[in-house]
Amino acid sequence: MDKPVGVALGRLILALDRTLATLVSAPHGLDEQVATVAMLDVDDLRYGLGRAARAADLFLLVGLPDAAAGELLTGLGTHRPVAIMSKAPTPGLADVADRLGVAVIAIDPHARWERIYNLVMRVLDIARVGSGPDGESMRSGNTGDLFELAGQVARRTGGLVSIEDEHSHVLAYSTAGDEADELRRLSILGREGPPEMLAWLRQWGILDALRTSSAVVTVDERADLRLRPRRAVAIRAPGSGEFLGVVWLQKGAGRLADDTDEVLIGAAAVAARVITRRRSLGTEHDDLVRTLLGARGDIVDAGRLATDLGVDPSSAVTVVGFTAPGGEHATHVSALTLHASAFSPLSVTTGIGDRAYAVLPDVITEAAVAWARLAVDAGRRQFGLQIRAVVAGPENMAAVPDLRTQVDRVLDAAMRESELIDDVTTVARSRTGVLLGEIVGLLSENPDLVDSRVTELAAIDAAGGSGFTASLRAYLDHFGDVRAAAGSLHIHPNTLRYRIRRLQALTGMDLDDPATRLVVALSLRVRRVPGHPTD
């Protein structure tokens, strides 16, 4: 496939602005093209870089010591990135990069890396769509680049502009120089403003006014809070009036234009079309990915779908599925997209129901498993979620629906037989757990097939706390080894021997009979299925 369309390094730095990024060195100048990005951290050094990450034009060095970053650059071989981004890079790292012909961009130490990544990807996405004659313009009213819109409004009004979504996340902003106040600077960095400043904005009803009105809202200067004068107007969806965000204008060093309010209202209308169109494109993208995964029925032309998604139709693809208790993981698909894009820039992701899926082109199974383990660990650290991941493939593009079916089969079985299926696994490594899980599932759906003697034991336990069920399960799981089973229960072997004799006497079980042991063991597993009527 042709390399994706990129942007000049200089344009990328200008888009990020001095609030976020400062050029340290550019040995080959600012016209070098950046088209792909990879986020790299210490785990990437530990497990090794994937092919896509190794070939990226821009490295975001997340938490990498400069010495390790220097070793990474010198060990890349013939391909080296156009640039690296690092928080407070040392002269030593800059010297190594300069010698290798790699530009160095210093990132504000307070900036969030996910904010940097999202802004870089936004600039690259705009370049891929292309501005052309139909690009963003206050004159034409067409939609395109929110950064360009922010710049035009800033030039027209003489102020500093930022455009936020409905959650107060900055989507784009104009260049600021040294005129930005603390609230603007922290918003761009991806941080909240000082608590007393935000409390003041809430106290005076400014945020509520923006959500309930389409008029321009004026915010007076508060020198004690280092808050400069600003104006703001809500962005509302055409037709429905849904609140989509805010266009903020901070007063700079000079006087604002006389028609500033009119320009802001016009900018909000243009921004609404931009955001609405992008959301529509996002929905279309998700639909394409879901179709590729087989969620919309049979695939008619897998090659065409792949091309529309920017993936080489001839690529061998691996599918990774994720789930978490209660379906919570579906709310973190954007975080998964971030991880997947950093690992494999041509990957595509989406959520279906309470599960999330990543389709990884040209990634071998071992690399996909290593990445999935990193994603699961990140989910545990960042969101406190106990996530499971299953890897299937690689296969050709037309096999993606079947790969997803295999993944779902393992995830379904893990709900019933979690101790037999690792948190991160492959379809091939899960066969025993899957087959047993499906057998247990069938028994669970047919309670008359569950051994009534096991149900009777559970009732005795519930009435008197005798511990017969747990004892029987441990005894069978340890193949009748009384000492090992008693050790797992933290009881004396004689206690276990007594319980086994007693429960056989109560139920009439013959645990010397292999068939009885099999039926009872399966019935005990059925009782652990969530929602089973015998629970």
Side-chain angles (χ1 to χ4, degrees):
M1 285 185 74
D2 294 335
K3 187 173 181 177
V5 175
V7 298
L9 178 63
R11 179 185 166 191
L12 179 60
I13 295 170
L14 284 174
L16 293 178
D17 187 46
R18 280 192 297 167
T19 305
L20 285 175
T22 303
L23 180 65
V24 176
S25 63
H28 292 312
L30 297 177
D31 292 330
E32 292 279 288
Q33 294 291 300
V34 174
T36 54
V37 185
M39 287 183 71
L40 307 179
D41 60 19
V42 291
D43 285 333
D44 291 296
L45 299 187
R46 184 181 305 131
Y47 294 107
L49 292 184
R51 186 173 66 179
R54 182 179 289 271
D57 299 322
L58 176 64
F59 287 178
L60 309 189
L61 305 181
V62 182
L64 278 184
D66 280 3
E71 291 179 12
L72 169 68
L73 291 177
T74 55
L76 286 174
T78 56
H79 174 83
R80 296 190 179 96
V82 171
I84 59 173
M85 289 184 172
S86 175
K87 293 185 177 181
T90 62
L93 176 59
D95 288 344
V96 171
D98 192 68
R99 189 171 66 249
L100 297 173
V102 178
V104 178
I105 302 166
I107 297 299
D108 188 293
H110 299 100
R112 293 186 184 277
W113 277 113
E114 63 266 29
R115 172 59 53 85
I116 301 296
Y117 179 86
N118 287 333
L119 288 172
V120 169
M121 292 305 297
R122 197 168 290 135
V123 174
L124 295 181
D125 287 343
I126 289 162
R128 288 165 190 157
V129 172
S131 54
D134 297 324
E136 175 64 48
S137 170
M138 287 288 286
R139 286 190 295 272
S140 69
N142 291 332
T143 59
D145 182 354
L146 284 177
F147 279 97
E148 177 62 23
L149 175 61
Q152 288 189 27
V153 175
R155 290 189 291 273
R156 288 279 296 275
T157 62
L160 284 61
V161 177
S162 60
I163 301 173
E164 298 181 352
D165 67 13
E166 69 272 31
H167 303 298
S168 299
H169 298 150
V170 175
L171 301 175
Y173 49 89
S174 64
T175 55
D178 298 320
E179 301 172 4
D181 64 14
E182 190 70 358
L183 180 58
R184 174 185 167 88
R185 192 182 75 84
L186 291 174
S187 296
I188 292 173
L189 292 175
R191 309 281 176 177
E192 283 194 344
E196 65 274 13
M197 190 181 297
L198 298 177
W200 182 80
L201 290 173
R202 284 191 291 267
Q203 177 185 348
W204 286 92
I206 293 165
L207 301 180
D208 287 340
L210 286 168
R211 290 182 174 273
T212 57
S213 169
S214 297
V216 175
V217 176
T218 300
V219 183
D220 294 331
E221 183 173 15
R222 282 291 303 268
D224 57 321
L225 295 177
R226 293 180 295 173
L227 186 69
R228 303 197 67 175
R230 53 197 354 103
R231 301 184 195 184
V233 65
I235 304 169
R236 299 193 178 280
S240 68
E242 177 191 357
F243 178 74
L244 302 177
V246 178
V247 179
W248 288 94
L249 177 78
Q250 181 210 304
K251 186 178 181 298
R255 180 175 175 272
L256 293 177
D258 292 338
D259 62 347
T260 291
D261 285 1
E262 289 76 8
V263 173
L264 282 177
I265 291 171
V270 175
R273 291 194 290 273
V274 175
I275 294 170
T276 302
R277 187 190 69 164
R278 287 186 180 172
R279 290 186 176 180
S280 174
L281 289 174
T283 301
E284 291 171 7
H285 174 85
D286 283 344
D287 283 343
L288 287 174
V289 181
R290 288 167 185 157
T291 301
L292 181 65
L293 287 163
R296 299 284 188 267
D298 294 336
I299 295 181
V300 176
D301 189 344
R304 176 62 182 274
L305 276 173
T307 300
D308 289 344
L309 288 166
V311 179
D312 186 345
S314 65
S315 298
V317 291
T318 299
V319 173
V320 186
F322 297 83
T323 193
E328 294 180 63
H329 187 64
T331 64
H332 300 291
V333 174
S334 60
L336 171 63
T337 301
L338 179 68
H339 279 281
S341 298
F343 171 65
S344 174
L346 295 179
S347 64
V348 292
T349 56
T350 193
I352 301 175
D354 61 354
R355 291 174 182 173
Y357 302 87
V359 181
L360 309 174
D362 295 324
V363 174
I364 62 174
T365 301
E366 290 76 13
V369 170
W371 168 75
R373 188 167 287 112
L374 292 177
V376 166
D377 289 344
R380 187 176 294 114
R381 289 194 309 269
Q382 296 173 15
F383 307 118
L385 296 178
Q386 297 300 312
I387 299 171
R388 285 188 174 276
V390 178
V391 178
E395 292 286 352
N396 60 52
M397 198 66 65
V400 169
D402 183 55
L403 294 179
R404 178 194 157 220
T405 298
Q406 295 175 37
V407 166
D408 283 345
R409 188 180 177 192
V410 178
L411 291 175
D412 289 342
M415 294 173 62
R416 295 182 286 263
E417 294 299 320
S418 58
E419 78 277 9
L420 295 181
I421 299 176
D422 293 336
D423 287 347
V424 179
T425 187
T426 67
V427 170
R429 296 170 192 164
S430 308
R431 286 201 170 94
T432 298
V434 168
L435 291 173
L436 183 56
E438 291 179 350
I439 291 170
V440 170
L442 289 172
L443 292 176
S444 178
E445 293 167 3
N446 296 274
D448 55 315
L449 297 179
V450 176
D451 193 322
S452 60
R453 293 170 294 185
V454 172
T455 305
E456 180 184 346
L457 269 187
I460 295 172
D461 282 347
S466 51
F468 286 142
T469 304
S471 298
L472 179 56
R473 182 183 296 135
Y475 179 77
L476 293 175
D477 285 348
H478 288 85
F479 306 102
D481 185 331
V482 172
R483 289 193 175 276
S488 71
L489 295 170
H490 306 291
I491 60 176
H492 194 279
N494 287 340
T495 302
L496 181 60
R497 289 189 183 95
Y498 167 77
R499 289 180 182 175
I500 295 300
R501 289 196 301 270
R502 181 66 178 152
L503 69 86
Q504 287 186 96
L506 289 171
T507 63
M509 290 181 188
D510 178 7
L511 296 180
D512 292 328
D513 175 44
T516 298
R517 292 198 300 271
L518 175 61
V519 170
V520 168
L522 287 173
S523 296
L524 286 168
R525 289 185 176 275
V526 172
R527 291 196 50 77
R528 288 181 287 177
V529 175
H532 187 266
T534 58
D535 279 354

